[in-house]
Amino acid sequence: MSDPLVSRMRQFGTTIFAEMSALAVRTGSINLGQGFPDTDGPPAMLDRAVQAIRSGANQYPPGPGVPELRQAVAEHRLRHYGLTYDPDGEVLVTVGATEAIAASVLALCEAGDEVIAFEPYYDSYAASIALAGASLVAVTLRPVEGRFTFDPDELRAAVTPRTRAILVNSPHNPTGTVFTAEELAFIAGLCQERDLVAITDEVYEHLTFDGVEHIPLATLPGMRERTVMIASAGKTFSVTGWKTGWVCAPPELVRAVQTVKQFLTFTANGPWQLAVAYGLREELAWVADLRAGLEGKRDRLMSGLAAAGFDVLKPAGTYFVQTDIRPLGFTDGLELTRRLPELAGVVAIPTQVFYDHPERGSHFVRFAFCKKDEVIDEAVTRLKRLG
Ligand code: PMP
Ligand code: GLN
């Protein structure tokens, strides 16, 4: 039989995260590839999920999400960002940010539309855009003085009459860039000038370092009404397996996204929604500690990788450090990461798979630092064998 997969999905094989985590298990390597913490979220929040199951919250929750979580999300947006969203009609709970992104793209993009994303980009963007029959137009982030950023002229030139939306991920995976007020103002200006919808992926909103604060694009003048703001509990509370995310947007945008979402999954898991509502209300001090701890882990991994011979770029947010592998005599990150278990007993992610122009990222490799200190130290000891 010829390939039964629809042609628009044929360019997508197994995700790099699945490939590299399987490689880590198969070879017994330390996994600094897929970004998931090796410690649990706040204990009282975990208990709340158990309690929700025990007390019978086990049938379909309402399609838009349980009211407690929609209310808690709205309170959180107001407290942190001064943004007002009505929990009834402007907040939609999804199965992780991944479903929120897919449903938003499927709901808002016609076949043939173009969607701008900054490369390297999170892998699900390209697949969601392809499912919609739309095209991804990649604008490259390049290191300038040690920080990945875009060229405003390139971004402006990427907008065409077919451009429907721009996907903005800040704090940005996999580069660790947190867009500045100036960068966001440029994006916001372009969205208004060219009548684009902004779909923002803010799953690392709380994980920023060195006093850098995340600024949601929706807080910029004129942007709330054209922004689909997406976040998730996975990274904020170290529960990446819970797959509980949400969309905040004006009613007509939420209605569009919900129309698609209801036929993907109808609703998201009930017990976890109740637990995340508790987390958003009661556990933000725990999140502040997580952030401080991660900053130390970032520094620990960065100095270890530098000592091992990598050129290291300092991230202002997320779980990830980008390294340039050329000082070690390597040029192809995909080749290196496939051999890294055998060379050093460590797994990492080749950044080039997140590009439409892989040659622009072939010398970068991403390492995750959301791991116990002793795991980071052992990985560094092993990586020193490369030199
Ligand atoms: N966007 C980015 C940038 C991510 O790194 C991730 C992984 N946490 C997601 C979306 C997916 O989030 P979730 O697990 O909530 O679906
Ligand atoms: N967001 C995580 C990362 O970038 C994992 C995502 C996944 O496994 N799909 O590593």
Side-chain angles (χ1 to χ4, degrees):
M1 188 164 75
S2 58
D3 189 347
L5 183 63
V6 291
S7 57
R8 63 188 181 280
M9 288 303 289
R10 272 188 213 147
Q11 60 172 299
F12 303 99
T14 304
T15 83
I16 196 69
F17 305 113
E19 176 186 337
M20 289 300 167
S21 281
L23 182 64
V25 171
R26 199 162 66 240
T27 59
S29 299
I30 296 180
N31 190 353
L32 301 188
Q34 192 178 28
F36 61 90
D38 57 0
T39 46
D40 253 335
M45 190 183 89
L46 307 184
D47 288 344
R48 188 71 190 80
V50 174
Q51 187 195 329
I53 292 172
R54 291 281 177 216
S55 61
N58 297 309
Q59 309 311 327
Y60 295 126
V66 299
E68 290 91 328
L69 179 54
R70 284 184 278 125
Q71 184 69 43
V73 165
E75 286 165 11
H76 175 268
R77 304 283 103 169
L78 182 61
R79 189 165 358 114
H80 277 271
Y81 306 124
L83 286 168
T84 305
Y85 289 100
D86 183 347
D88 296 317
E90 294 190 313
V91 179
L92 171 68
V93 178
T94 56
V95 182
T98 307
E99 189 197 32
I101 294 160
S104 300
V105 170
L106 288 166
L108 302 174
C109 300
E110 300 285 1
D113 281 353
E114 292 172 0
V115 180
I116 294 176
F118 295 100
E119 70 175 356
Y121 52 75
Y122 186 60
D123 63 351
S124 84
Y125 301 173
S128 295
I129 293 166
L131 279 173
S135 314
L136 191 156
V137 175
V139 173
T140 307
L141 298 176
R142 296 186 179 82
V144 178
E145 288 162 13
R147 171 181 178 276
F148 284 82
T149 186
F150 60 90
D151 173 349
D153 292 335
E154 242 177 84
L155 178 57
R156 180 179 293 286
V159 182
T160 78
R162 310 211 68 136
T163 311
R164 168 68 172 138
I166 177 163
L167 250 161
V168 182
N169 170 216
S170 181
H172 183 264
N173 177 12
T175 67
T177 284
V178 180
F179 284 140
T180 61
E182 293 71 36
E183 287 165 335
L184 292 167
F186 186 83
I187 296 169
L190 210 52
C191 287
Q192 289 168 72
E193 193 184 309
R194 305 298 295 269
D195 195 21
L196 312 180
V197 175
I199 302 171
T200 63
D201 175 347
E202 306 182 32
V203 301
Y204 298 97
E205 61 186 324
H206 288 290
L207 307 186
T208 58
F209 314 122
D210 310 319
V212 171
E213 290 295 336
H214 164 61
I215 306 169
L217 189 61
T219 61
L220 275 75
M223 287 309 290
R224 185 194 180 281
E225 58 261 40
R226 58 175 67 246
T227 300
V228 177
M229 182 189 203
I230 294 170
S232 154
K235 301 292 154 84
T236 297
F237 296 111
S238 297
V239 289
T240 61
W242 282 19
K243 300 299 294 184
T244 302
W246 48 89
V247 169
C248 296
E252 60 283 5
L253 285 170
V254 164
R255 225 173 0 255
V257 177
Q258 195 184 339
T259 301
V260 171
K261 183 263 181 308
Q262 66 187 338
F263 297 115
L264 297 177
T265 52
F266 176 59
T267 186
N269 306 308
W272 286 268
Q273 293 190 52
L274 291 166
V276 171
Y278 173 86
L280 284 173
R281 285 182 170 144
E282 306 292 341
E283 296 289 0
L284 289 172
W286 183 96
V287 177
D289 288 346
L290 171 72
R291 167 184 175 160
L294 279 171
E295 185 169 320
K297 290 177 187 299
R298 175 201 62 174
D299 295 344
R300 193 178 196 100
L301 181 61
M302 279 179 59
S303 55
L305 290 170
F310 292 89
D311 252 351
V312 184
L313 291 113
K314 187 177 197 169
T318 76
Y319 282 164
F320 309 112
V321 172
Q322 283 295 335
T323 59
D324 187 329
I325 59 177
R326 288 173 296 188
L328 284 161
F330 300 102
T331 52
D332 186 326
L334 184 56
E335 200 182 299
L336 174 62
T337 51
R338 286 189 169 141
R339 288 180 58 209
L340 207 52
E342 149 217 336
L343 295 173
V346 173
V347 157
I349 297 288
T351 309
Q352 72 196 71
V353 302
F354 304 124
Y355 287 80
D356 284 1
H357 309 88
E359 71 286 355
R360 296 183 185 169
S362 51
H363 52 287
F364 293 122
V365 166
R366 190 194 85 172
F367 291 89
F369 54 82
C370 46
K371 305 292 173 185
K372 294 187 180 111
D373 288 349
E374 58 270 29
V375 174
I376 293 174
D377 292 347
E378 175 58 24
V380 165
T381 303
R382 295 181 184 193
L383 287 165
K384 285 182 179 155
R385 288 180 208 154
L386 288 174

